Amino acid sequence: MPQIMPDFSNSVKLKYVKLGYQYFVNNIITLTLIPIMASIFIELIRLGPDEILNLWRRSLHFDIVQILCSSFLIIFIATFYFMSKPRTIYLVDYACFKPPVACRVPFATFMEHSRLILKNNPKSVEFQMRILERSGLGEETSLPPAIHYIPPKPTMEAARGEAELVISSAMDSLFEKTGLKPKDIDILIVNCSLFSPTPSLSAMVINKYKLRSNIMSFNLSGMGCSAGLISIDLARDLLQVHPNSNAVVVSTEIITPNYYQGKERAMLVPNCLFRMGGAAILLSNRKSERCRAKYRLVHVVRTHKGGNDKAYHCVYEEEDKEGKVGISLSKDLMAIAGEALKSNITTIGPLVLPASEQLLFLLTLIGRKIFNPKWKPYIPDFKQAFEHFCIHAGGRAVIDELQKNLQLSAEHVEASRMTLHRFGNTSSSSLWYELNYIESKGRMKRGDRIWQIAFGSGFKCNSAVWKCNRTIMTPLDGPWEDCINRYPVHIPEIVKL
C-alpha cells in the first residue's frame, strides 16, 4: 500500500534532535543568562553615563564600620573555602612492566606443556584448549620462568624472583621517566592479591631502593583485580592529610605460586587467562607538579558486594579434592559482576553525567513508577561523560558485557581488547596497559576524561575518573613501543588450535 504519511524517523534526523536537546539542557544556565545580561546592557545604554553615575553615588553610602565588617566577612569566607577545599591529586606519570621475550608463551607452547603436565587428564587438556581458543589472548603473552618448567616449579624463591623482576623493572622505568629519587617517596603502596610473603613486597621495595625510614608503607593482598584502584583511593586519602608529598603505587599479580595443576574445570580457567604484568604510578599533591603531570584525579567510587554469599564465593581460592590449591571461578560470575557494575554506575552517574542524561534518566524512572512499570529503563549515555574507557581486561566475556550494557562502540573498548590480546589478564595492572595504549595511539588530548573500571574478588567493582592535564605526546618507550603500529588487530571469535 502507498505510504500516506512520511516516515518520521527517516525525514527527521533524530540524532540532531538529541544533540540539540543535550546542548540546550547542559547549557541552560548560560542560555538563560544571555538574554538577561543583554537586557541589562540595553537598559544601561538607554540611561546614559550621567544617570548611571548618579545612581551609583546614591547607592554607595557606607561608613567605615560597614566596610571593615564586609571586608572581614569576605576574608573569613575565602579562608574557610580554600582551607576546606580538598587537595588536588595529580598523576605525574606511570610505567608498565614489559615482559622479556624469553617469557612468551605461544598457544602451541602452552598446549604442549598442558598435555605433558596433565597427561593423565586429557579432558582437562581439551577444556583448556577450548578456553584458550575463545579467550581473546594473542601469541605474545608471557608467563614467569618457573611456569615454563615441566612440571612447573612454584617455589617461594621463584615467586620472589618474579616479584623482583616485575616490580623493579616498573620502578626503574618510573624513576627514569619522572626524575624521581627514592628519597623523595613519602608514601608507598604495593598491591598483589595472591602472593603475600614475609617480609612483605612493600618491604622488598624499601630494601632494594633504600627508602627513608619514616616512609608510610602499605601492602594490600587478597583484594583481587580491582586492588589497583583501591590503592589509588588509599593514596588519595593519605595525600589529603599529608601536604607536599609524593605517593608511589605498585600494582601487580605474581603468577608463579598460583599455577593450578589439577583437573577441576572451574580452577583451570585462570591458567588460560592470567599472565605477567605490573605497573608503578607516581601520585603527588605538590602544586609544582601541576604543569608536568599527565592527569588529575577527579573521583574514585568503590562498590563491595561481599555481604552476599554468592558474590563472596564467586572468585574463591581453595583446595580441590586432591588437595591442590587453585582459584575457583563461579558460573554466576558475570551475573554478579553485572549487579556490582549496576550499583557502581548508580553512584558514579550523578557525579559525572551531564544534566541532559540525568534528566532523561529521572523522567524515565518517574514514568516507570507512576505510569507503566513495563517501560524500558533508560540507560544513561556515558559517552557524554567520558572520551576514553579503560575496562579491566579480565576476559573477553567481561569486555563484551560492558560494551553491550554501556552501549559503547568498538573504538571505546579497543584499548581493553588489545591489552587482553597482547598481554593477557595482568590483574590490577591491566588498566595502566590500556591507558598506555590510548597514549601510544596519540588519542589523549588535554581535557579528555577517562573512566577506569575494575572488578575483583569479594566481589568488588571499583571506578576511577581522571581528567587529562595536558595533551600527551606519543610515548617513544613503554610496553607498546615495538608493536603499537600492528594494533588494532582482528580477533576472531574462535582461534582453532
Side-chain angles (χ1 to χ4, degrees):
M1 293 181 63
Q3 190 174 6
I4 301 173
M5 295 289 291
D7 188 350
F8 181 78
S9 61
N10 289 333
S11 60
V12 178
K13 295 188 179 298
L14 295 178
K15 177 178 68 174
Y16 297 108
V17 174
K18 185 177 181 182
L19 287 174
Y21 158 77
Q22 291 169 350
Y23 183 81
F24 175 76
V25 174
N26 295 339
N27 299 280
I28 191 168
I29 295 177
T30 304
L31 295 174
T32 304
L33 287 175
I34 287 175
I36 295 174
M37 295 299 294
S39 301
I40 294 172
F41 181 72
I42 293 170
E43 184 65 20
L44 289 173
I45 293 174
R46 189 183 66 80
L47 287 173
D50 293 336
E51 293 186 31
I52 294 172
L53 186 61
N54 291 331
L55 182 65
W56 177 268
R57 287 171 179 172
R58 287 197 301 270
S59 62
L60 292 179
H61 290 290
F62 298 116
D63 57 27
I64 189 66
V65 176
Q66 289 176 317
I67 294 173
L68 288 175
C69 290
S70 301
S71 301
F72 175 77
L73 181 63
I74 292 171
I75 294 171
F76 175 78
I77 293 173
T79 303
F80 178 79
Y81 170 76
F82 285 109
M83 289 188 68
S84 61
K85 185 180 179 182
R87 291 187 174 91
T88 303
I89 308 302
Y90 297 105
L91 192 161
V92 180
D93 212 332
Y94 64 96
C96 297
F97 167 71
K98 184 178 180 181
V101 177
C103 292
R104 288 184 181 176
V105 52
F107 293 156
T109 302
F110 183 89
M111 291 313 306
E112 182 184 2
H113 287 199
S114 295
R115 292 186 187 97
L116 293 172
I117 296 167
L118 301 172
K119 57 185 177 182
N120 296 325
N121 298 298
K123 290 186 178 180
S124 296
V125 175
E126 183 182 352
F127 174 75
Q128 282 191 307
M129 184 174 70
R130 291 203 304 270
I131 293 295
L132 199 62
E133 288 176 339
R134 296 164 173 79
S135 65
L137 272 67
E139 297 274 8
E140 297 180 276
T141 60
S142 300
L143 286 172
I147 307 301
H148 288 263
Y149 286 98
I150 302 174
K153 296 182 178 180
T155 63
M156 179 65 75
E157 182 182 3
R160 284 188 181 275
E162 181 192 351
E164 290 175 2
L165 171 65
V166 174
I167 295 175
S168 298
S169 297
M171 289 288 289
D172 290 344
S173 181
L174 182 68
F175 287 140
E176 183 180 352
K177 292 172 75 173
T178 60
L180 182 74
K181 294 180 175 60
K183 298 296 183 182
D184 295 333
I185 301 175
D186 304 290
I187 301 166
L188 174 67
I189 303 171
V190 179
N191 68 265
C192 179
S193 184
L194 295 173
F195 181 57
S196 183
T198 299
S200 66
L201 294 178
S202 60
M204 182 192 78
V205 175
I206 293 170
N207 175 259
K208 178 175 176 58
Y209 294 101
K210 310 304 177 189
L211 304 184
R212 301 197 320 254
S213 60
N214 64 341
I215 190 170
M216 291 173 281
S217 66
F218 301 86
N219 197 92
L220 305 183
S221 63
M223 305 195 79
C225 300
S226 66
L229 296 186
I230 296 174
S231 298
I232 295 294
D233 189 34
L234 175 59
R236 178 191 65 171
D237 292 343
L238 291 168
L239 288 171
Q240 288 299 330
V241 296
H242 295 282
N244 201 35
S245 299
N246 291 320
V248 171
V249 173
V250 179
S251 293
T252 187
E253 190 60 80
I254 304 305
I255 308 297
T256 296
N258 304 299
Y259 187 85
Y260 177 64
Q261 301 181 55
K263 57 184 179 182
E264 290 291 332
R265 292 190 172 187
M267 297 181 176
L268 286 170
V269 175
N271 287 357
C272 303
L273 300 178
F274 282 88
R275 297 293 186 266
M276 290 179 76
I281 304 100
L282 173 60
L283 302 173
S284 180
N285 58 15
R286 296 181 176 179
K287 293 182 179 179
S288 58
E289 300 288 3
R290 178 179 179 179
C291 294
R292 72 163 182 157
K294 285 187 171 182
Y295 304 97
R296 175 172 59 86
L297 182 59
V298 183
H299 301 292
V300 177
V301 175
R302 294 167 55 180
T303 303
H304 204 305
K305 292 290 187 179
N308 180 282
D309 289 342
K310 283 188 176 181
Y312 176 73
H313 287 97
C314 70
V315 181
Y316 204 78
E317 185 177 18
E318 59 185 349
E319 296 174 333
D320 64 9
K321 296 176 182 178
E322 299 176 352
K324 296 178 180 178
V325 179
I327 306 297
S328 177
L329 301 182
S330 169
K331 293 180 180 179
D332 300 324
L333 177 59
M334 291 310 303
I336 292 167
E339 286 298 316
L341 175 66
K342 181 180 177 181
S343 298
N344 192 268
I345 64 176
T346 301
T347 305
I348 202 173
L351 299 175
V352 299
L353 286 170
S356 57
E357 290 300 307
Q358 295 193 49
L359 181 61
L360 284 175
F361 179 80
L362 178 63
L363 293 175
T364 306
L365 183 65
I366 294 173
R368 282 167 55 85
K369 293 290 185 182
I370 298 177
F371 300 107
N372 188 356
K374 295 182 179 180
W375 279 8
K376 186 178 179 182
Y378 179 72
I379 306 298
D381 185 4
F382 280 92
K383 298 187 292 294
Q384 298 293 324
F386 303 105
E387 283 74 34
H388 308 288
F389 296 81
C390 295
I391 301 167
H392 167 52
R396 190 176 204 157
V398 175
I399 301 171
D400 288 344
E401 283 299 311
L402 263 73
Q403 180 181 5
K404 177 183 175 182
N405 291 331
L406 297 178
Q407 299 176 355
L408 303 178
S409 66
E411 185 176 349
H412 286 128
V413 297
E414 181 183 311
S416 301
R417 291 195 189 280
M418 297 308 112
T419 296
L420 181 64
H421 181 270
R422 173 62 182 85
F423 297 101
N425 180 352
T426 60
S427 189
S428 58
S429 64
S430 67
L431 298 174
W432 304 106
Y433 288 91
E434 295 166 19
L435 188 61
N436 194 259
Y437 177 89
I438 298 170
E439 292 180 5
S440 298
K441 282 293 183 181
R443 298 173 183 172
M444 193 64 69
K445 309 299 180 185
R446 181 180 180 181
D448 283 1
R449 298 155 298 178
I450 307 98
W451 186 13
Q452 292 181 322
I453 316 170
F455 299 92
S457 58
F459 188 85
K460 299 180 285 292
C461 176
N462 299 325
S463 293
V465 178
W466 304 88
K467 190 168 185 178
C468 187
N469 204 39
R470 56 182 173 83
T471 299
I472 297 174
M473 303 298 292
T474 304
L476 301 177
D477 56 359
W480 296 94
E481 63 174 326
D482 61 345
C483 61
I484 190 63
N485 293 330
R486 294 190 278 113
Y487 283 91
V489 298
H490 172 67
I491 304 174
E493 289 293 326
I494 299 176
V495 179
K496 282 296 181 181
L497 301 180

